[in-house]
Amino acid sequence: MRDYSIRAAGPDDLDGARAVMLDTVYRDFGTGYVPRWHGDIIDPAAAYLTPPRHTLLVAVDPDGGEIVATGALDARGPAHPPNPRHIAERYPSGETAQVRRLYVRPEHRRRGLARRMVAGLLAFAAADGTYRAVYLHTDPSVPGAEAFWRSLGKLVHDERDDPDGGNGVLHFELPMGR
């Protein structure tokens, strides 16, 4: 087991973090870069390093120093649309810490990195002291995503159960552990 270093990203980490994120949206999601969904990937400094209640964590492989995973948190609740209105109302911006961009390069998966990243994000949210809840949404078609998030949090809405199927997205709340 490698001893990965997990830390808050700094300016020198942004190119590596951006590469992990872009590779994921192209390879795993099949969407590629979509500006309205992925603007934070192009400018992670403005999205996660500048705002004081936001963070971007990176995991660094000890063999070579490559960034192999990312995880972000910000104070923007889920927007309606595309999310259901009741989800946006339950998790308002400013009061909600939203987990974003939890991505691990395929060759580094199944080593506990994602769980360690989530623990770091939850600790950041708890230390902030003003977040009321931690929220995230995930695409259940991504292999392992649904089982992973179910093991960590509470499913609060499954769009697959909506009469029209919604966008098929799963919405979770994670315990902050205060």
Side-chain angles (χ1 to χ4, degrees):
M1 175 74 93
R2 293 182 173 141
D3 188 21
Y4 295 91
S5 168
I6 295 176
R7 65 175 187 246
D12 292 343
D13 298 318
L14 296 181
D15 287 342
R18 187 179 301 108
V20 169
M21 291 186 245
L22 285 172
D23 287 351
T24 300
V25 299
Y26 279 92
R27 179 193 57 245
D28 294 346
F29 300 159
T31 61
Y33 172 73
V34 179
R36 72 177 188 267
W37 299 337
H38 306 128
D40 61 306
I41 293 175
I42 298 304
D43 192 1
Y48 303 115
L49 302 190
T50 304
R53 298 179 65 218
H54 297 194
T55 193
L56 172 64
L57 300 182
V58 293
V60 181
D61 185 344
D63 301 334
E66 174 191 13
I67 293 174
V68 298
T70 61
L73 183 140
D74 65 34
R76 293 178 294 135
H80 169 75
N83 298 293
R85 179 180 308 280
H86 70 96
I87 293 294
E89 291 171 353
R90 180 174 179 167
Y91 300 105
S93 291
E95 297 177 16
T96 303
Q98 185 168 179
V99 173
R100 300 178 184 271
R101 310 294 176 219
L102 188 70
Y103 303 149
V104 180
R105 289 203 179 274
E107 62 273 21
H108 297 275
R109 292 179 183 160
R110 313 286 313 158
R111 299 178 186 183
L113 272 175
R115 284 186 191 281
R116 288 179 57 202
M117 300 286 279
V118 170
L121 295 171
L122 292 174
F124 181 90
D128 177 81
T130 62
Y131 288 120
R132 179 183 61 73
V134 178
Y135 162 87
L136 70 97
H137 64 266
T138 192
D139 180 347
S141 70
V142 174
E146 182 173 358
F148 176 75
W149 290 114
R150 282 183 184 270
S151 76
L152 292 173
K154 174 186 170 193
L155 180 67
V156 295
H157 185 74
D158 184 337
E159 290 187 29
R160 298 173 297 187
D161 295 337
D162 291 353
D164 66 354
N167 293 314
V169 172
L170 303 178
H171 302 269
F172 287 89
E173 184 170 323
L174 300 178
M176 215 175 319
R178 288 186 181 162

